[in-house]
Amino acid sequence: MQNDLIEDFLKAYEKTYCKSFDDSFEGKILSIKNAFLEPSLRLNGFFLKELEGIIASYKKPINIAIIGQFSSGKSTLLNLILKKECLPTGVVPVTFKPTFLRYAKEYFLRVEYEDGSDEIVDISKLSHFSDQRNELKETKSLHLFAPIELLKNITLIDTPGLNANDIDTLTTYKELSFMHSAIWLSLIDNAGKKSEEEAIKANAKLLERGGICVLNQKDKLNQEELDNVLSYAHLVFDKYFKKLIAISCKEAKTDLKKSNLPLLYEYLEGLDYENIKKDFIREKLDLLCVILLNQYDLFQDTLEQLKLKLDEVLEFFYTKELERKIQILNHHCLDKLKLVGEKIAQEILKSIKEKESCYYKEAKGLFKKNLYEKVTYKAPYLSSDDAFLAMFYHSETMNKEFKKMKNEIALEFNQIKDEFFQLFRTLEEPILLFKAQFSNLQKENELESEEEFASFRSFASASEEFFVKDFKRLLFKSQLELDLFLEKLNLKALANYESATKLALGFFSTKMNASKEFYELDSTEFSLYYPKASEVHQRVLSELNVYEFEDLLLNKPVVLKIYQNYIQTFTKLIEAKKHFIQNLHHEFEAKKSMISSIKSQIAKL
């Protein structure tokens, strides 16, 4: 059952996407169309419609736009070509929607509306739809059909006048995007003006395919003036147009030959329709490739910038500055612990006093049998309770100093934790910026893939969750480890100074009392115990667990290991994220390779 499903899928895929085509121009463009239909490119409806229109244009007449400023006589010229007064004319802008002149055996008008509907009406109603002075239903375009031989191979398009208003100008430029060539109509007394040349430059590619410049109203000039104007116009326009002629629509109504209109007909009829269509198709198909390549370039460039940000984070991490700070912290902590021990030892030594003591021993001598004599001596004395009260309750000095030390060490730990956080922020900030910039990324061209942009927006929206979450968890884990070590330091040393002092006092008090007892038993064999300063200091350090923390701070530096583990894990995470980005980059590169392959096919047309 499963094998049958896979086999059916493969057959359906081969039938749809693995078609074979002949070696004709039509076969080649159908092959290119089929290559564009690869599902992974995720083309949208606008793109597919544009592609279909480009391929279908090979079997249709070429589109030639009539372009010019308003009142340059476009509609009048087309009426002459139609041999009938169909298009409205006027001294104010009247052509509101592009009007397509197509071949049919009789005159009629098809009106196409913005809502997708259309209707066939009598040609006499054309002015009602094309004149912008009328309030209309949303009309998209007008298609005028006429039994004119020229229109069998050419569709002429009457465009809204340039500079009539911003809307008409934009409409004209939009319509030109699917034109094969153009007739540039200009009033003869405006020929060669800078503003007109700028508009021509903007459509230079279109005009290369058989574009002709037509100067209207030559009847206003005498022959000498006409020659001068044509001479200047050739200097300005010859680099843009295949041909330049002067006509008179006014004269054409009475003397066709004198109007030079037959020269225009002759030029249009002599165009190489086949090559113009092929050149147009090559240009349009190549433009589709450029649009898709630009789309993927945008995605790849964005990913590359994100990857560079991650590299910058790694470079920031590789600094030894924080390691040095941690080493300083370790030494500071140990020094402060030793300082605590030294202060306690000094206070203990101050508390050791001498006092007069005595004991009785058997008297020696002939007449002193069974008699005892009193022996007085000075012995070391330490009242542990009195010493402890003097240090910590009768005076706040020691407590204040120890609390100050504790706060200083806590502050240094918090600074290290903040350094950990700052390292995290070097990653979080660019990720949040990436999310803000690209989670609402919109395509600039309607032919770009909405699915691809939606997918990239989803990636950007999820970037905080995908990139930051693991690093935040690592940060919290590392900061918790620092907190636990500081807590251990507090419990066993910094906050334990009173207990350590009691234990040390008790130790020396007990030892002095014991030495006194042994001394009184046999003063010749035993001596009184006087604690040395170094011995007191060492004992206090031991009770404060200083030697244990010396091992944890210097020999087996816990904080440094926490930092190193943090960096190592952080680095591994970044490398994993970079690898994911690189995989995305490769996916886009693979699609670009497909498009580049299509582009190569187009270049061979």
Side-chain angles (χ1 to χ4, degrees), residues 19 60 62 90 137 163 241-242 309 498 540 565 597:
K19 298 177 181 177
K60 295 180 180 180
I62 64 171
K137 178 183 176 181
N163 300 329
F241 299 98
K242 299 291 183 183
K309 290 294 183 185
E498 290 188 5
V540 172
N565 288 336
S597 176

Side-chain angles (χ1 to χ4, degrees), residues 351-395:
S351 299
I352 297 174
K353 310 292 184 183
E354 275 189 331
K355 73 175 183 177
E356 195 169 282
S357 297
C358 66
Y359 66 92
Y360 292 89
K361 70 175 184 177
E362 188 175 352
K364 292 181 180 181
L366 184 61
F367 303 105
K368 295 182 180 180
K369 189 176 181 180
N370 296 324
L371 296 177
Y372 288 86
E373 62 181 354
K374 181 179 181 182
V375 179
T376 60
Y377 67 96
K378 288 187 177 181
Y381 170 75
L382 175 62
S383 172
S384 57
D385 289 339
D386 290 344
F388 183 81
L389 290 172
M391 278 191 269
F392 300 110
Y393 289 93
H394 296 162
S395 172

Side-chain angles (χ1 to χ4, degrees), residues 328-451:
I328 291 172
L329 167 67
N330 288 339
H331 283 283
H332 280 182
C333 287
L334 190 60
D335 290 344
K336 284 181 169 60
L337 286 175
K338 288 182 177 180
L339 185 61
V340 168
E342 187 176 340
K343 286 181 179 294
I344 293 174
Q346 288 172 356
E347 293 300 320
I348 290 175
L349 287 169
K350 288 179 185 178
S351 299
I352 297 174
K353 310 292 184 183
E354 275 189 331
K355 73 175 183 177
E356 195 169 282
S357 297
C358 66
Y359 66 92
Y360 292 89
K361 70 175 184 177
E362 188 175 352
K364 292 181 180 181
L366 184 61
F367 303 105
K368 295 182 180 180
K369 189 176 181 180
N370 296 324
L371 296 177
Y372 288 86
E373 62 181 354
K374 181 179 181 182
V375 179
T376 60
Y377 67 96
K378 288 187 177 181
Y381 170 75
L382 175 62
S383 172
S384 57
D385 289 339
D386 290 344
F388 183 81
L389 290 172
M391 278 191 269
F392 300 110
Y393 289 93
H394 296 162
S395 172
E396 285 294 314
T397 303
M398 291 284 283
N399 283 327
K400 286 180 179 178
E401 286 188 18
F402 294 150
K403 286 179 181 177
K404 180 182 177 183
M405 288 182 190
K406 181 179 177 181
N407 290 336
E408 287 174 353
I409 290 176
L411 178 61
E412 288 191 69
F413 265 82
N414 284 332
Q415 288 173 346
I416 296 298
K417 285 171 61 180
D418 187 60
E419 292 278 0
F420 277 40
F421 178 73
Q422 291 307 319
L423 292 176
F424 167 75
R425 284 291 292 165
T426 62
L427 171 89
E428 186 184 41
E429 286 180 0
I431 296 300
L432 293 179
L433 181 61
F434 173 80
K435 179 181 178 181
Q437 284 181 314
F438 299 106
S439 59
N440 196 34
L441 179 67
Q442 300 297 321
K443 59 183 187 177
E444 294 183 356
N445 190 311
E446 67 177 5
L447 300 181
E448 292 173 323
S449 171
E450 181 54 47
E451 279 190 60

Side-chain angles (χ1 to χ4, degrees), residues 330-331 333-335 337-338 413 484-496 541-559:
N330 288 339
H331 283 283
C333 287
L334 190 60
D335 290 344
L337 286 175
K338 288 182 177 180
F413 265 82
L484 290 174
F485 183 73
L486 177 60
E487 185 65 20
K488 182 178 180 180
L489 188 62
N490 278 328
L491 290 173
K492 298 189 74 173
L494 298 176
N496 190 42
L541 293 181
S542 178
E543 297 297 348
L544 283 170
N545 300 298
V546 171
Y547 298 116
E548 177 187 347
F549 280 104
E550 183 173 23
D551 192 48
L552 295 174
L553 290 168
L554 299 185
N555 301 327
K556 300 174 184 177
V558 173
V559 178

